[in-house]
Amino acid sequence: MALLLDQINDPSDLRDLTTDQLEDLAEEIRGRLVETLSRTGGHLSPNLGVVELTLAMHRVFDSPNDRIIWDVGHQAYVHKLVTGRRDAFDSLRTLGGVSGYPSRAESPHDHVENSHASTALSYALGLAIAAEDQGEERWTVAVIGDGALTGGMAYEALSHLAVRRPRRLVIVLNDNGMSYQATVGGVAASLAGVRLDQRYEWVKRTIGRVLRSVPLVGDTADELARRLKESLKQLVEPSTVFDAMGIKYAGTVDGHDLTRLEETLVRAKGFDEPVVIRVQTEKGRGYPPAIADEVDRLHSVGAFDVETGRPLREERRLTDVAGAALLDAARRRPDVVAISAAMVSSTGLQDMETEMPDRVIDTGICEQHSVTLAAGLAMGGLRPVVAIYSTFLQRALDQIISDVALHDLPVTFLVDRSGVTGPDGPSHHGVFDLTFLRMVPNMVVGAPADAEELCAMIETALDHPGPIAIRFPKAGGSALPSLPVSALPVGRWDEVRPGSDVLVLAVGRMLEPALKAAIGLESEGISCRVINARWVKPLDSRVVEWAGDHEFVLTVEDNVVSGGFGAAVLEALSAHGMAGKVRMLGIGDGFLPAGSADEVLHTAGLDVEGITSRIIELTRD
């Protein structure tokens, strides 16, 4: 029996299907998602939840002429399956394969390289204004959900939208229970149709006209009509921030009722103003192991067993090591508190939250608020630890500088997913943090080479009198050392291998391949002195002495070369007339592709082979 999904080569093909066929197609898609992601990994449950919503939008709107903007972009797998990428979907999140997020280079149906939350409303408002100003009759649809509405940027866009109201803009709030409390029920679902029904609008206008003709009412007619409308709305669903801002709001629609979804979207197109539709979906729908997962519904997964949903490989991550070390410290120190921007489990804080719920603060997707909140906690005498992904910390750079560093406050940043992260692609490679953190006054920056150093740096940070950032990669296979681990002195490096020809200064995860390259080069007659440069700021003052003993200094970092660790060494040695000795190996001026961490590091020349080749070039030129 031929699969319906195999017949969908373009979104327009969906319009020829009956309701029964669409329901069958939805189940086929869920099966394809589970089967593919069990091998590739990826964002499973968000996509299981948006199947019907995606089908309905593509039946009502004409993509790519009508623009569908996904926030967060990891909800777009179903969108990819029905927009011509079905046959390539097995390559999801692999080097040269289908991206795990919308990709403009991949398809004309993808309009934004969107992976950071709370941005879609701003993109969509800009696109809608541009279309209107240029006389284009095309719709813009922003799908925002999965917690993204907790981000302040979304409210900034809503505030602007309330003033500048482009005609052809629809906002779909995908409420899957992760962002705010749902109002669900038959009456509320019916209201979605009523409030977007042209007959309802006609009745409202007619009441106003009738009341105006009644003696002694006259000028108060519109106000009475407005009160009548508000009374009806309050009977079935409370007012929302959208009502308060004067934005047309459609209540709650069952996100798995295709007929209701389509009816509501069609009605939304009947208004000359922006419309907000709240859609109630079930995260992980149709896959029992996801529904049973009480932590995050199998939100993001690696390869897993289809029957059980359990990962094929379970190993301790550096994230887990950091979480265990922080929990151990919190047990000994009542002043330690942890902050997460909507990623408690993802940043290793789950156990601490379970044991000490009052000492783990989840701010929602509010990175800027998280950092300034930490500043306030530190001012009040606590020792706040902000656990956050490298690429998400970028969003709070102003707060790091002005609210934490300017006050020289003892805030610790656990900068997870630093360096090359792998299959999540260009938006998630944390290759900028050494650059933007190193430039901040009062900031100390550490890059541990292994789990034990990570734990030791956490101990260092909790006694440090000012701000300190500890960056570490998305890596597994890390054994948890015996806790607590003795603190490391700030600014003190470690010589791990003596040598005479080239001084190799390696940062964090780069120590291991640099050391292996040095060992391998012995047979080539090249002697390398390898240093674990665990502190990026401040540098070890001995670097000047060490550099004087060698013809070349090679810095190795999984960060952009521009302004990174190598630049810091170059600056330090230039003051002593040794700038000409420095060569830098890191990320060039460009965004890295998706792929496994090993594949991406290889393309960047940051594996054993790449480091070996660079050292041979230096010594034989």
Side-chain angles (χ1 to χ4, degrees), residues 67-89:
R67 280 89 58 108
I68 299 175
I69 311 300
W70 293 91
D71 187 342
V72 183
H74 63 230
Q75 298 181 94
Y77 291 5
V78 185
H79 164 81
K80 288 173 181 279
L81 283 170
V82 300
T83 54
R85 285 162 280 184
R86 176 197 64 233
D87 293 340
F89 194 68

Side-chain angles (χ1 to χ4, degrees), residues 161 165 169 171 194-198 200-201 204 229 233 240 242-243 245-251 267-268 270-278:
L161 189 151
R165 306 165 66 87
L169 175 60
I171 297 168
V194 171
R195 290 172 69 176
L196 287 184
D197 194 315
Q198 294 288 3
Y200 170 58
E201 294 293 313
K204 184 179 65 175
K229 180 186 73 169
K233 285 159 51 177
T240 67
F242 312 109
D243 292 303
M245 299 174 80
I247 302 171
K248 184 166 289 297
Y249 171 63
R267 285 172 179 160
F271 293 87
D272 284 338
E273 60 180 307
V275 176
V276 176
I277 302 170
R278 179 178 172 184

Side-chain angles (χ1 to χ4, degrees), residues 512-596:
E512 182 180 350
L515 186 57
K516 288 181 178 178
I519 293 171
L521 285 166
E522 268 192 356
S523 62
E524 301 284 336
I526 301 172
S527 176
C528 298
R529 187 180 199 175
V530 182
I531 305 295
N532 176 7
R534 59 170 68 99
W535 296 106
V536 174
K537 184 182 180 184
L539 302 180
D540 192 315
S541 60
R542 293 176 294 171
V543 69
V544 176
E545 176 189 340
W546 289 333
D549 295 335
H550 299 273
E551 183 179 1
F552 294 106
V553 178
L554 178 66
T555 63
V556 188
E557 60 188 307
D558 56 341
N559 188 81
V560 291
V561 170
S562 179
F565 169 68
V569 172
L570 180 64
E571 292 163 9
L573 295 184
S574 66
H576 299 273
M578 291 188 284
K581 293 188 174 189
V582 179
R583 303 291 187 274
M584 296 177 283
L585 185 55
I587 308 299
D589 186 19
F591 290 99
L592 295 172
S596 71

Side-chain angles (χ1 to χ4, degrees), residues 173 175-177 182-184 252-256 278-282:
L173 301 182
D175 179 4
N176 59 22
T183 304
V184 184
T252 303
V253 184
D254 182 349
H256 305 293
R278 179 178 172 184
V279 176
Q280 182 73 38
T281 61
E282 182 184 20

